[in-house]
Amino acid sequence: MTETDSQMYDVVVLGAGPVGENVADRTRAAGLSTAIVESELVGGECSYWACMPSKALLRPALARADARKVPGLRHLVEGDLDAPAVLAHRNDVTSHWKDDGQVAWVEGTGTDLYRGHGRLAGPRTVTVTGPDGEVTTLTARHAVAVATGTRARLPELPGLADVRPWTSREATSAQSVPGRLVVVGGGVVATEMATAYRALGAQVTLLVRGKGLLPRMEPFAGELVAEALTESGVDLRTGTNVTAVARANGTVLVDTDHGDRIEADEILFATGRAPRTDDIGLDTVGLEPGSWLSVDDSLRVPGTDWLYAVGDSNHRALLTHQGKYQARIAGAAIAARAAGVPLLETDPWGAHAATADHAAVPQVVFTDPEAAAVGLSLAEAEQAGRQVRAVDVEFSSVAGAGLYAAGYRGHARMVVDLDREILLGVTFVGPGVGELIHSATIAVAGEVPVSRLWHAVPSYPTLSEVWLRLLEAYRG
């Protein structure tokens, strides 16, 4: 291992996923020289093993489910999905795990790309060990941004490595559909992959340690998704822990704390994420390797004037779109500080404050039905000591729901701050609501008064009329 080069930049970014790309895009737009370091594929987890491939697998499942509820159409979609075609389309969506297009985009911004493993080597310094073992030292005049994301966290079970379990990566990149799949977990990855693989023809058993699904959302979200998964044929078992796993003659054997043994062809553990910060040199700057990185609202690590942590690594909101939002905020803050701006706009909703991380995080779970939420749940608002009122309506009260699908089932809730008469949170569950949640995000992030929302007239007959039903229920 020999050091062959040393380069100086204004900004160095560790990680070229969508978050790191956006940091680099913003700093380059501000005229700052920027280098970005990537050890795998440019484009990161989202492009190749998470958001994009998972949604490519789910879209046919959801489209078929919707079509089966449309009179005059349902008889045409009673057959099985063409699994090879779905997988082939997923391969196209991921560019067959080649990053040429993403590399071209990065280079088009004027950012220099370094392939290899990047590690901090003291303040403002990053060493990059390339594929050939050669080491390049990068020095940052103004900022180093850590955007290394997360990896799947596996439970500590004896012999687990010998079972060769799936994580989200294997689930979204598999080239065939297993006949029997056990999914362990009750969150987003677990419910989405159970939805996708059941639709693709697998016998799916979903093992959930807790009492229900999607525990970070309103309770009715998990309840409606659980009902639909069960109706689709998923064997859903809540309050269940895996106690042992083994693989014998290719078959996975799963033991539970209820004394059951389940046989499967593959097992997917969707049991959380861990930060990819264990081998990026945090110890060289007085931080703990493998830890989540605490940041202020400008995404800067406290106690430093140069280190930023953006996206999943700071554990504020483990979502690609939220990480990209943080990247835009961090890029603006880095640029402002580099320009010597004496006072940044770090008040809530300021140009240099990632306020939405606290108040208006949107998320869509692409199950059937979809579950979408933004802001605080009722329980979260009450725990925060807010004076609130929850307003609930069924989508069956909306004419557009019946036109969207016969027998449409869905539920909506808005959480109103009674002191300020603004919305703190909104949750929609039902087919197609993923495209509805941004209206709620605008209402929550904009702190739009309920009295003004009354003048935002939803088009008839669309699902958006659920807003009118919510406001009518609030007014009484």
Side-chain angles (χ1 to χ4, degrees), residues 70-90:
V70 178
L73 182 59
R74 62 168 63 97
H75 68 286
L76 299 176
V77 289
E78 287 300 332
D80 297 333
L81 291 176
D82 184 342
V86 172
L87 297 178
H89 175 63
R90 184 275 321 275

Side-chain angles (χ1 to χ4, degrees), residues 106-421:
V106 168
E107 293 176 343
T109 68
T111 301
D112 288 348
L113 171 65
Y114 289 82
R115 297 272 195 181
H117 182 70
R119 299 183 82 257
L120 293 167
R124 304 175 189 270
T125 305
V126 172
T127 59
V128 184
T129 304
D132 56 3
E134 295 185 346
V135 178
T136 301
T137 298
L138 309 177
T139 304
R141 295 185 185 91
H142 299 293
V144 174
V146 174
T148 49
T150 57
R151 60 168 58 88
R153 185 177 65 230
L154 290 169
E156 295 184 4
L157 287 171
L160 183 59
D162 296 331
V163 176
R164 302 182 303 281
W166 280 8
T167 67
S168 54
R169 281 198 171 195
E170 288 76 22
T172 56
S173 62
Q175 294 300 312
S176 61
V177 177
R180 301 164 298 175
L181 174 66
V182 169
V183 180
V184 183
V188 177
V189 172
T191 53
E192 287 190 346
M193 289 300 94
T195 299
Y197 276 96
R198 179 69 195 109
L200 289 168
Q203 296 177 22
V204 176
T205 302
L206 181 56
L207 305 179
V208 184
R209 182 173 58 184
K211 296 180 180 179
L213 303 179
L214 304 177
R216 296 187 178 181
M217 285 186 157
E218 298 282 12
F220 63 81
E223 291 166 4
L224 286 170
V225 170
E227 289 176 11
L229 283 171
T230 300
E231 289 175 4
S232 75
V234 171
D235 181 2
L236 171 59
R237 308 184 192 186
T238 58
T240 302
N241 286 293
V242 175
T243 56
V245 290
R247 189 182 287 269
N249 299 319
T251 298
V252 178
L253 306 175
V254 184
D255 294 336
T256 76
D257 57 355
H258 293 288
D260 299 322
R261 168 162 284 189
I262 305 165
E263 295 187 1
D265 299 294
E266 301 292 350
I267 183 169
L268 162 63
F269 282 94
T271 48
R273 308 289 297 180
R276 296 182 61 178
T277 61
D278 52 311
D279 190 22
I280 62 168
L282 291 184
D283 54 306
T284 70
V285 294
L287 297 172
E288 182 181 350
S291 65
W292 302 102
L293 294 173
S294 298
V295 295
D296 61 23
D297 270 1
S298 72
L299 290 310
R300 189 167 62 175
V301 176
T304 76
D305 62 358
W306 60 274
L307 183 61
Y308 293 73
V310 191
D312 285 6
S313 62
N314 61 41
H315 206 235
R316 287 164 69 103
L318 305 188
L319 296 161
T320 295
H321 50 269
Q322 211 67 23
K324 291 164 69 174
Y325 160 73
Q326 292 176 15
R328 297 190 291 271
I329 299 295
I334 291 168
R337 287 173 174 138
V341 174
L343 189 63
L344 270 61
E345 299 175 40
T346 55
D347 289 339
W349 307 112
H352 309 116
T355 310
D357 285 351
H358 312 298
V361 175
Q363 181 174 22
V364 179
V365 185
F366 291 85
T367 46
D368 173 32
E370 292 177 348
V374 63
L376 302 180
S377 67
L378 174 60
E380 289 170 336
E382 290 176 338
Q383 289 166 7
R386 311 292 281 270
Q387 296 298 313
V388 296
R389 175 185 164 195
V391 181
D392 292 86
V393 299
E394 298 293 329
F395 268 93
S396 57
S397 64
V398 178
L403 294 172
Y404 188 98
Y408 187 109
R409 286 188 295 173
H411 191 90
R413 168 176 288 178
M414 67 180 188
V415 178
V416 182
D417 183 324
L418 295 176
D419 293 327
R420 299 181 61 197
E421 290 250 305

Side-chain angles (χ1 to χ4, degrees), residues 21 42 99-111 113 115:
E21 287 176 329
V42 175
D99 62 3
D100 301 31
Q102 297 270 5
V103 169
W105 184 89
V106 168
E107 293 176 343
T109 68
T111 301
L113 171 65
R115 297 272 195 181

Side-chain angles (χ1 to χ4, degrees), residues 15-26:
V19 176
E21 287 176 329
N22 274 266
V23 174
D25 181 51
R26 291 296 82 213

